[in-house]
Amino acid sequence: MKPRTRPKLLILSSPSGAGKTTLCRRLIKTRPEFELSISHTTRLPRAGEAHGREYYFVDRNTFDGMLDADQFIESAEVHGNMYGTAKDEFTRIFSEARTPVCDIDWQGTVSVQSAFPEALSIFILPPTMKALSERLKRRKTESEAALKLRLANAAIELEKFHFYRHMIINDEVDTAFSDLLSIIDTGSPVRPAPTTREINALLNEVG
Ligand code: 5GP
């Protein structure tokens, strides 16, 4: 496979608990030319999260003010909270000649892809819904109600796989990471891309 030029923009999405954040962090550590695009959110910080590192945590008034001032490239309600990618964030990363990595949902992906058709979008799938549910529970970051909402939303998110240029099954993090690097570098994963049958099996699991 021929080496490709570095993508201008990378989008990584997955249902909560599919391991996207781990892959994202590993990419940024391994490849300093990539930089996380830090979103604004009205969600409250979890234990260990810091303003300006995981997110810019803002209240609803501030978020709405930014919306009115047209400061977002995209914004969406996800799991009952508002999230948005500020235009300033891309400007900052582009000015450093780096590639923004957007950890955003499918709604944000549709908007960003329409603004930046050259964006490389990758959807991370869990191997099974059971694995996803177990990983979310083990994380212990959500209340019981938030956990239920995230699991219910996972089914809706999985149905949006066709908005993405590539898909990776995160059954084992090292293998999934090799696929991620290979897609970035050559345009194809190391393993064959997930088949419609595998995706349908996941969708059937959620009914
Ligand atoms: P979490 O609350 O677990 O950090 O993120 C919840 C979901 O919101 C994840 O699917 C994440 O990708 C998505 N998300 C985070 N930031 C943004 C954003 O700026 N825009 C959109 N559309 N989704 C986002």
Side-chain angles (χ1 to χ4, degrees), residues 12-16 20 39-41 43 46 49 55 74-76 78-79 83-85 103-109 139 142 150 157:
L12 290 180
S13 299
S14 75
S16 278
K20 162 196 54 184
S39 299
H40 284 69
T41 182
R43 167 168 82 61
R46 297 181 183 125
E49 286 183 334
Y55 285 104
E74 64 76 32
S75 66
V78 190
H79 312 315
Y83 294 82
T85 307
D103 170 345
I104 57 178
D105 84 327
W106 68 271
Q107 305 171 83
T109 301
R139 229 166 62 171
E142 315 301 326
R150 279 171 186 256
E157 289 167 59

Side-chain angles (χ1 to χ4, degrees), residues 22-37:
T22 309
L23 292 172
C24 221
R25 284 200 189 131
R26 200 186 272 198
L27 174 67
I28 284 151
K29 215 171 153 192
T30 320
R31 299 278 178 95
E33 64 272 29
F34 289 92
E35 186 163 343
L36 183 67
S37 161

